Amino acid sequence: MKVLVATEKPFAAVAVEGIRKEVEAAGYELALLEKYTEKAQLLEAVKDANALIIRSDKVDNEVLDAAKELKIVVRAGAGYDNIDLEAATAHNVVAMNTPGQNSNAVAELVFGLLVFAVRNFFNGKAGTELMGKKLGILAFGNVGRNVARVAAGFGMEVFAYDAFCPKEAIEAAGVHAVDSQDALFETCDVVSLHIPATPETKQSINKALVGKLKKGGILVNTARKEVINESELLDLMAERTDIKYVTDIMPDAHAEFAEKFADRYFSTPKKMGAQTAEANINAGIAAAKQIVGYFQTGCEKFRVNK
Ligand code: 3PG
């Protein structure tokens, strides 16, 4: 049995060693394709793989066609919008994610970005503090919950909206539940996005919504670039010269954002939210265990395709 780890953005070495231990303890072989630059390399590497561990690497119909022996693909992470789920099902491939395993890392980065933003990107001018400010969390999943926990330490007042999570569950975590996305943006000084990229959420963070932010509002995105309506956000930031946008997912229009709003916009060059040794170990080893569990017992926990 061959397990391929294919990561354009590699795991920390210590996480790869952890994955290797799990895979070899089960009597399987581990193959590595790290930092690949061409899709052709992935197509070649998947040919004889029975299982595949990926991060944001795209697994589409072409990859699945090439992966003749593939039975399972595990996205070591939360968002699985990079896997063509219908194609996986059509190829009889089980697709899974590892929810929660990297969420603290992403939540910590939210505050790294926020401190950087409120201190004017360390340009020497007096900024503001986070204490006492209202933080809105859009979607109260694993990352959102960790953001709420850390925000409490900063002394922020925390609000959340989640279309799929009952208000009582949000309130039980000590967070004010609001009734709508609009209400969240109207209420808060800072809004942090934790929604997945789905047909419903794509482009949903638009001018009308972000325009509801209070004066000096900050939008933080550690979710997906696809949820942002970039042209409308560009328009809004031109009109509302008080709004800042900080993101861990470089927008398609990065050059335009950077040129027009040098003092109000920042993007990490490469998505760094889950890029910690701990998150890599947690998500990578969980992925390896899920693969071994699937082959040994048929366990389909965390399966995301039908
Ligand atoms: C996730 O969905 O788990 C995060 O966006 C992390 O993605 P990455 O593994 O590409 O860093």
Side-chain angles (χ1 to χ4, degrees), residues 9 55-56 75-80 102 106 222-224 271 273-275:
K9 181 177 64 187
R55 296 186 64 177
S56 289
R75 192 283 191 244
Y80 45 86
N102 58 21
V106 179
T222 55
R224 289 291 180 270
K271 188 165 61 151
Q275 200 57 329

Side-chain angles (χ1 to χ4, degrees), residues 198-211:
T198 65
E200 293 73 36
T201 63
K202 280 182 185 169
Q203 307 271 315
S204 66
I205 308 301
N206 56 24
K207 188 173 179 182
L209 187 63
V210 185

